[in-house]
Amino acid sequence: NNMTFKAIIFDADGMIVHVERVSDRLRLSPEVAAPFFNHGFQRCVVGKADLKQEVQQYLDSWNWKSGVDDLLSFWFDSAENRIDERFAQVIRSLRARGIKTYIATNNERYRTADLFEKRGLGTWFDGVFSSSALGFKKPQSEFFQQIFSIIPEKKDEVLFWDDDILNVKGARAFGLQAEQYRDFEAFKNYVHVL
């Protein structure tokens, strides 16, 4: 591992953000959750629909009484204090060494804003790339093409990390060196020798 990388792309959920599924927190059965999460929500993730409008029609079947804004607060607050702060120091040291750090996340726009603006996660990184803004999601090649039309680095200068093996394989198919995230210590040891 003697390659020199100019940038590292991080995944958010499952890597830097530990989040439990809102369907679990709401105690929804898979049958009750599926119509929204398999359809309307997927359009929100690629920026083709608005989460507040999509979820509105499910409030009754989910037995949620207090409105869409409260539901989103309940949903996003599951991530409260679940940002893995151990990454902050690693990312600071990478940036101090002149290595750019980016986030690539499959997220709809309200949650993206919650994590990266309200919770301040955006200040850790040189760039945040969300599927809802790009119009495509990992592991689609178009997702990666959009990022590389924006950042100055070339493919062979960028290292990609994700906990989802399908996203890792998608990044590799696109031409990136990609590693699967399993635990923080292994990640830290890997980037320390870069």
Side-chain angles (χ1 to χ4, degrees), residues 28-35:
L28 303 179
S29 69
E31 299 74 33
V32 171

Side-chain angles (χ1 to χ4, degrees), residues 5-179:
F5 292 105
K6 292 187 178 178
I8 299 180
I9 298 177
F10 293 79
D11 174 35
D13 295 314
M15 188 168 174
I16 292 172
V17 182
H18 300 284
V19 65
E20 53 187 322
R21 287 154 56 148
V22 70
S23 53
D24 293 342
R25 296 182 71 224
L26 290 167
R27 296 182 174 80
L28 303 179
S29 69
E31 299 74 33
V32 171
F36 169 70
F37 285 100
N38 293 345
H39 301 290
F41 181 66
Q42 294 307 317
R43 293 204 308 277
C44 298
V45 169
V46 291
K48 304 278 188 279
D50 185 281
L51 181 65
K52 291 185 180 184
Q53 292 171 358
E54 291 295 318
V55 82
Q56 179 76 49
Q57 55 199 309
Y58 293 94
L59 298 186
D60 287 344
S61 63
W62 292 4
N63 214 8
W64 183 266
K65 302 284 187 260
S66 54
V68 170
D69 289 333
D70 280 354
L71 177 63
L72 265 52
S73 293
F74 174 82
W75 181 343
F76 302 157
D77 282 344
S78 67
E80 186 75 18
N81 305 319
R82 303 296 293 282
I83 292 171
D84 191 337
E85 299 289 342
R86 296 176 300 177
F87 279 97
Q89 190 182 347
V90 174
I91 289 163
R92 269 199 304 272
S93 76
L94 288 169
R95 292 177 80 181
R97 288 158 54 193
I99 298 172
K100 291 275 183 60
T101 61
Y102 302 114
I103 276 279
T105 181
N106 287 349
N107 257 308
E108 63 74 44
R109 64 186 182 91
Y110 293 109
R111 183 151 181 275
T112 301
D114 182 80
L115 281 174
F116 295 99
E117 294 164 26
K118 182 181 165 196
R119 295 185 204 280
L121 198 51
T123 62
W124 294 18
F125 298 96
D126 295 291
V128 173
F129 300 101
S130 174
S131 58
S132 55
L134 299 181
F136 300 94
K137 62 184 179 178
K138 300 178 287 187
Q140 293 175 287
S141 63
E142 293 91 342
F143 178 91
F144 298 107
Q145 281 164 5
Q146 295 275 347
I147 292 176
F148 279 85
S149 72
I150 298 166
I151 66 174
E153 293 81 19
K154 299 179 187 71
K155 286 183 192 181
D156 61 0
E157 298 173 328
V158 177
L159 175 63
F160 176 88
W161 281 81
D162 202 297
D163 67 313
D164 186 328
I165 191 61
L166 293 177
N167 294 339
V168 172
K169 287 178 174 172
R172 287 175 181 159
F174 182 72
L176 299 175
Q177 175 155 341
E179 299 293 330

